[in-house]
Amino acid sequence: MTETTDRPAALHSYLAYRDAPKALRWLERAFGFETVSEFADDKGLIQHSELRLGGASIIVFSAEEDYDRATRKGETVGHGLYVSLPTQEAVDATFASAVEAGATPVWEPTATEWGNYRCRVDDLEGYEWSFGTYVPGVPQNG
């Protein structure tokens, strides 16, 4: 276990997928994540895996239970993952690769009044992913 007193807090997400092995390959192809660790059990389920995209990281594992998924109300299920990308071109490219991989488009890439250029898709198991140029916690121009 890595424990230090000079490391700032960091937020990481974890997601349970019904078919985690398939989800890992899909997240790599659709969003450009790199799987940096993957631990399967004797049933072929993923006990723990970690994926990275630049400075973002997530944990993925197999859902042995059939977890409820939130129902969309309008444009959102009320929670999801947001990944900040460096440029509008990166947002456009991620949206295109996600849709090509089978993601369900929710918002095509567009600019907002608060200076974000963003898009949103649902992944192969219905998780909501947004990608944009806005960096939460950092003053924005626009």
Side-chain angles (χ1 to χ4, degrees), residues 20-35:
K22 179 180 177 182
L24 292 174
R25 304 299 78 86
W26 190 89
L27 291 164
E28 293 166 347
R29 188 174 65 256
F31 299 149
F33 275 98
E34 174 189 5
T35 300

Side-chain angles (χ1 to χ4, degrees), residues 49-128:
S49 68
E50 296 176 18
L51 296 93
R52 289 194 189 125
L53 177 64
S57 61
I58 60 171
I59 297 166
V60 168
F61 59 94
S62 293
E64 293 195 63
E65 303 294 329
D66 191 18
Y67 296 114
D68 292 334
R69 297 288 198 261
T71 304
R72 181 172 307 288
K73 292 175 177 51
E75 296 181 324
T76 184
V77 298
H79 59 84
L81 296 109
Y82 175 79
V83 179
S84 61
L85 297 174
T87 64
Q88 290 183 9
E89 293 78 16
V91 173
D92 291 338
T94 300
F95 181 80
S97 68
V99 171
E100 183 178 321
T104 302
V106 178
W107 298 331
E108 296 208 7
T110 190
T112 67
E113 60 272 10
W114 59 91
N116 193 8
Y117 183 79
R118 65 174 183 182
C119 68
R120 179 175 291 161
V121 298
D122 288 345
D123 73 13
L124 73 167
E125 289 198 17
Y127 286 114
E128 192 169 284

